[in-house]
Amino acid sequence: MKDYQTGQIRNIALISHNGAGKTTLVERLLFKTGAITRMGSVLSGTAHLDFEEEEIARNSSIATAIAPIEWKGVKLNLLDAPGFLDFIGEVNSAMKVADSAMVLIEAVAGVEVGTEAVWAAADHYHRPRLIVVNKMDRENVRTRRVLESIRTNLHGHFVELQLPIGEGPGFKGVVDLLSMEARLGEKGDRAPIPADLAGAAEEGRTALVEAAAEGEDALIEKYLEGEELTAEEIARGLKGAILKGAAIPILYCAGEVGIGTDALLDACVTLLPAPNEVGPFEGVNAKGEAVKHEVSDASPLAVFVWKSREDNFGKTSYLRVFGGTLESDSRVWDADHDAEVRVGQLQAPSGKETQPVPRLHAGDIGTVVKLGEAATNGTLGDRGRIVRIAPIDQPDPLSSVSIHPVSQSDTAKLSQSLNRLVAEDPTLHWHTEPATRETILSGMGVAHLDIAVHKAQSKFGVHLRTTTPKVPYRETITKSADADYTHKKQTGGAGQYARVVLRVEPVEEERGFEFASEVFGGAVSAPFVSATEKGCRQALENGVLAGYPVVGIRTVITDGKMHPVDSKEIAFQTAGREGFKQAVMKAGPMLLEPIYEVTVTVPADNMGDILGDMNSRRARVLGMDQDGNKSIVRAEVPLAEMQSYAADLRSMTQGRGLFSMKFMQYGRVPGHLQEELVVKLRKEREAEEAAHE
């Protein structure tokens, strides 16, 4: 592959709802430009970009893949992001390093819930974009219907760059309103505009010229004065309008058969920005100060690791050069680990295949293997001129499973394997929950977690089974209480003796546990007071109600008694532990449950169903908003009521509802539910202990 300078590069993220045909379209573009010698198929598992084992098995993309397309002296780095919402993290990663977006919309289905989600991601990153209505050759395509869907469900100034010639099986090509000519068939042959489309083409051309004039002040003045804009001025003005977000062009194609693809490639080259045309990149220098630099080879070296991929041969790091030039076989500074890193042979990836390149110029994307400790979201650069790039914004997890190794050897490899999964996919998180002693893996949905578990087996040889996580309850007290506990133990020789008088008081739950001494006159010596505190802390781990951690409690030792021979620290530990339990039992113990802030976005028609469902989940509604034809509900909901919400919401809204959830605080379990819940939790814990014996 030739050496492409910054101005000859276009980084374009392909985003859509699942099934809009992104991967097949890129397959056609690769074949058209000679990058591959035969067309693969997503359904048969032979697509060039779907090379992960899980992608082949599921006939669907689960990770962003890169396809460099060379067209008319320009390198188009196409980032094919997954369409399934469980992999929205991959979309966010692609958005971070792309300079523009191509939003595919399936011609029959129109705008779907996933389209709206990826559109929001493009908004978040302020990416200029164009819309491609794909699969125009399908049965039941109605162009007017899909345009109405776009204008109703998405926001922006939409302008047709093309008109379709025919629709459904009769789709033959497009009318290019920029060049005012037809582009026909798989090869995009140029021809006169069909007579029956001449009037619509003139009308569309006028709208296009108006949109182009708004892209540049000089052009709008010329246009308002009644002067004709040249073809070069229209293209330049339209590019400016797209870059500012003032215009979003609509194109048409049938990716599988290749109709409309030549015109699409021409539009990408002509209208979408090069990396140095989207403005400076932002970062933070070594002093923590915000800085901006042009995307240029002359700027400080700033290389962002936006993705990592693990396999049996090691780690592949995906890089985007924001500033400077990255050379193969060079040494750079890892700003996050404060260490020098050797960069080996740089590669230009195309699916799983790679081609060695001597360097990556500012704005380009590539890969390298064995990049030391450098991880996703890390920045590489010059030690003397560090420019850290902000990490990728990722959503909070929506779903969790409890992970159980199948064998002893799986247990030994569990932590390392989970760390590698999380390194590869930052929307995955894992932790050990102290309250339930479970290993919890969290992600964006059931399919996301299922694939992660399969990856652990296929890539890292770790066999896991999953269960629904237990709710990590906590326990606290509601009033003050006292206990007087004496521990005696006599076993022939020296015995054990300790007496402690304790008072427990409720405090704010955030304060956790506090311990104080009001012992006077040396009734209990300082070492034994410390031993008593240690015993109380041991009792915190297993509360008196259902064995969950205890929080929000202050314990005071007020008195006690020592024996000159039999008193030992272990005796006071035991007395502290058992006395603490006695006091807590008298202090109105209560269960606490995790409460999450949940934001649900649904079509306005579903608002009543959502509110009714929220009430059944013990939710407290915080607010309701309207955004176009969408209703947004914010509520506090106990985690115990959200375990199956993803599936329930999908059912209530026919798949058009979205939600996010974020931990807020712990709240008290209502009194009328606590008794029954405690009985249930005690039985579960007893069964678990019996199974381990």
Side-chain angles (χ1 to χ4, degrees):
M1 184 171 284
K2 65 174 267 194
D3 197 29
Y4 286 93
Q5 303 293 318
T6 304
Q8 299 171 299
I9 296 167
R10 306 286 186 274
N11 296 315
I12 308 166
L14 275 68
I15 54 177
S16 77
H17 184 84
N18 197 43
K22 299 181 301 299
T23 303
T24 299
L25 173 60
V26 177
E27 192 83 12
R28 171 59 65 178
L29 298 179
L30 287 165
F31 181 67
K32 173 181 281 294
T33 56
I36 57 176
T37 55
R38 69 177 185 85
M39 276 282 293
S41 163
V42 172
L43 292 179
S44 66
T46 57
H48 185 70
L49 297 188
D50 283 351
F51 57 87
E52 293 275 6
E53 186 177 315
E54 290 294 323
E55 291 178 317
I56 294 168
R58 294 168 185 264
N59 304 127
S60 181
S61 301
I62 64 171
T64 297
I66 305 172
I69 306 283
E70 297 177 275
W71 186 255
K72 297 186 176 178
V74 171
K75 178 188 179 190
L76 306 170
N77 285 322
L78 302 183
L79 285 77
D80 176 21
F84 194 49
L85 280 179
D86 278 23
F87 305 102
I88 192 69
E90 294 283 333
V91 173
N92 293 331
S93 298
M95 285 286 106
K96 174 77 174 182
V97 297
D99 302 303
S100 59
M102 183 190 298
V103 184
L104 268 68
I105 294 176
E106 212 269 354
V108 176
V111 173
E112 299 174 85
V113 62
T115 320
E116 296 169 7
V118 298
W119 192 267
D123 281 344
H124 178 77
Y125 284 97
H126 309 292
R127 294 297 179 243
R129 69 207 73 162
L130 50 81
I131 287 176
V132 178
V133 180
N134 192 27
K135 301 189 179 182
M136 282 294 294
D137 56 338
R138 277 193 66 192
E139 296 278 357
N140 300 319
V141 169
R142 297 291 181 270
T143 304
R144 182 173 295 178
R145 185 173 61 199
V146 75
L147 286 174
E148 185 181 333
S149 175
I150 290 169
R151 293 188 168 116
T152 301
N153 295 291
L154 304 177
H155 56 84
H157 179 205
F158 302 106
V159 56
E160 287 184 280
L161 184 67
Q162 301 169 346
L163 299 178
I165 302 174
E167 55 189 23
F171 180 61
K172 298 175 183 175
V174 296
V175 173
D176 186 341
L177 298 177
L178 205 55
S179 61
M180 287 302 281
E181 62 186 356
R183 304 290 293 272
L184 301 174
E186 182 188 336
K187 295 182 179 179
D189 295 328
R190 299 173 188 271
I193 296 172
D196 61 332
L197 288 174
E202 285 298 332
E203 200 176 305
R205 169 77 170 187
T206 301
L208 191 69
V209 171
E210 287 177 359
E214 292 176 11
E216 203 174 292
D217 291 342
L219 295 181
I220 201 159
E221 285 178 23
K222 185 175 179 180
Y223 178 74
L224 292 174
E225 288 169 4
E227 293 185 51
E228 282 280 325
L229 300 185
T230 66
E232 188 275 330
E233 286 174 332
I234 294 170
R236 191 181 75 226
L238 188 57
K239 183 174 184 175
I242 293 168
L243 187 57
K244 291 191 294 186
I248 301 171
I250 299 173
L251 299 84
Y252 301 90
C253 80
E256 189 163 7
V257 295
I259 298 175
T261 50
D262 283 74
L264 173 59
L265 288 170
D266 287 345
C268 290
V269 168
T270 306
L271 300 177
L272 293 181
N276 57 346
E277 294 174 326
V278 295
F281 69 94
E282 300 178 1
V284 175
N285 64 17
K287 296 178 181 177
E289 301 164 334
V291 292
K292 291 184 179 181
H293 295 282
E294 295 300 318
V295 180
S296 162
D297 288 359
S299 293
L301 183 64
V303 181
F304 184 68
V305 183
W306 60 276
K307 176 179 165 70
S308 302
R309 181 173 169 268
E310 296 266 356
D311 57 29
N312 294 328
F313 304 103
K315 182 176 69 176
T316 299
S317 299
Y318 289 70
L319 314 173
R320 153 79 199 241
V321 182
F322 280 91
T325 305
L326 182 64
E327 300 280 348
S328 287
D329 300 315
S330 61
R331 293 189 176 274
V332 295
W333 193 256
D334 180 347
D336 297 276
H337 293 92
D338 205 25
E340 189 176 69
V341 174
R342 180 185 174 277
V343 177
Q345 176 62 60
L346 295 170
Q347 305 280 350
S350 179
K352 69 177 177 181
E353 298 175 2
T354 58
Q355 192 174 338
V357 292
R359 66 190 59 83
L360 294 172
H361 291 280
D364 210 349
I365 289 172
T367 62
V368 69
V369 297
K370 298 179 182 175
L371 198 56
E373 295 297 315
T376 302
N377 287 322
T379 304
L380 309 175
D382 294 325
R383 185 174 187 177
R385 297 183 72 189
I386 289 296
V387 183
R388 281 191 178 88
I389 307 295
I392 302 162
D393 294 328
Q394 296 291 16
D396 294 307
L398 299 178
S399 187
S400 298
V401 290
S402 176
I403 293 288
H404 308 276
V406 172
S407 68
Q408 194 62 42
S409 63
D410 296 322
T411 302
K413 295 185 285 187
L414 181 63
S415 294
Q416 183 185 15
S417 299
L418 291 176
N419 285 334
R420 292 175 75 181
L421 283 172
V422 169
E424 184 170 299
D425 183 351
T427 56
L428 285 172
H429 303 267
W430 79 274
H431 70 281
T432 301
E433 177 52 61
T436 61
R437 301 178 185 86
E438 291 183 313
T439 300
I440 305 297
L441 181 65
S442 304
M444 301 311 299
V446 175
H448 187 208
L449 295 171
D450 186 43
I451 286 171
V453 170
H454 278 91
K455 272 188 184 180
Q457 180 177 331
S458 61
K459 284 191 171 187
F460 313 132
V462 180
H463 296 75
L464 306 170
R465 62 180 183 85
T466 62
T467 58
T468 301
K470 297 171 186 168
V471 176
Y473 294 102
R474 291 179 180 172
E475 299 183 20
T476 192
I477 57 173
T478 57
K479 60 185 180 182
S480 297
D482 297 289
D484 186 338
Y485 188 86
T486 302
H487 172 67
K488 291 181 183 177
K489 188 176 181 183
Q490 199 68 42
T491 53
Q496 292 184 14
Y497 178 86
R499 177 182 169 226
V500 294
V501 181
L502 299 174
R503 182 177 74 249
V504 294
E505 306 165 348
V507 295
E508 292 88 351
E509 284 135 25
E510 303 79 51
R511 285 163 64 178
F513 174 74
E514 296 174 358
F515 186 87
S517 172
E518 293 178 359
V519 175
F520 294 102
V524 180
S525 66
F528 292 158
V529 169
S530 296
T532 303
E533 179 182 355
K534 189 173 181 181
C536 291
R537 290 188 179 275
Q538 289 172 354
L540 290 174
E541 296 174 11
N542 296 288
V544 297
L545 281 177
Y548 285 93
V550 182
V551 295
I553 193 165
R554 182 173 188 265
T555 304
V556 183
I557 179 171
T558 58
D559 199 1
K561 189 175 180 182
M562 300 181 292
H563 187 278
V565 176
D566 291 347
S567 285
K568 303 176 177 65
E569 289 191 11
I570 188 66
F572 274 89
Q573 268 189 46
T574 304
R577 182 175 66 246
E578 299 306 319
F580 179 85
K581 289 178 183 177
Q582 278 190 3
V584 169
M585 281 297 290
K586 299 176 188 175
M590 174 170 271
L591 273 183
L592 299 172
E593 62 183 346
I595 307 292
Y596 278 69
E597 181 178 348
V598 178
T599 303
V600 188
T601 305
V602 295
D605 294 348
N606 296 115
M607 184 66 154
D609 293 338
I610 296 304
L611 289 175
D613 179 72
M614 280 290 168
N615 285 333
S616 73
R617 296 175 190 271
R618 299 192 281 124
R620 186 169 77 89
V621 175
L622 301 174
M624 294 178 283
D625 295 302
Q626 200 73 21
D627 182 10
N629 61 349
K630 298 288 182 186
S631 292
I632 302 166
V633 181
R634 287 189 308 109
E636 294 179 6
V637 194
L639 177 62
E641 305 289 346
M642 292 296 294
Q643 300 282 48
S644 63
Y645 192 65
D648 295 342
L649 180 64
R650 192 178 302 120
S651 174
M652 283 186 288
T653 63
Q654 289 75 52
R656 296 197 69 84
L658 297 173
F659 80 104
S660 63
M661 54 190 285
K662 188 173 186 178
F663 174 74
M664 280 185 69
Q665 62 194 17
Y666 270 79
R668 298 187 174 189
V669 173
H672 67 282
L673 296 176
Q674 177 167 303
E675 188 175 341
E676 187 180 329
L677 182 58
V678 166
V679 171
K680 178 187 166 208
L681 293 172
R682 281 178 177 171
K683 284 182 179 176
E684 286 178 359
R685 191 168 287 266
E686 287 167 7
E688 200 175 286
E689 288 171 356
H692 283 116
E693 287 178 1

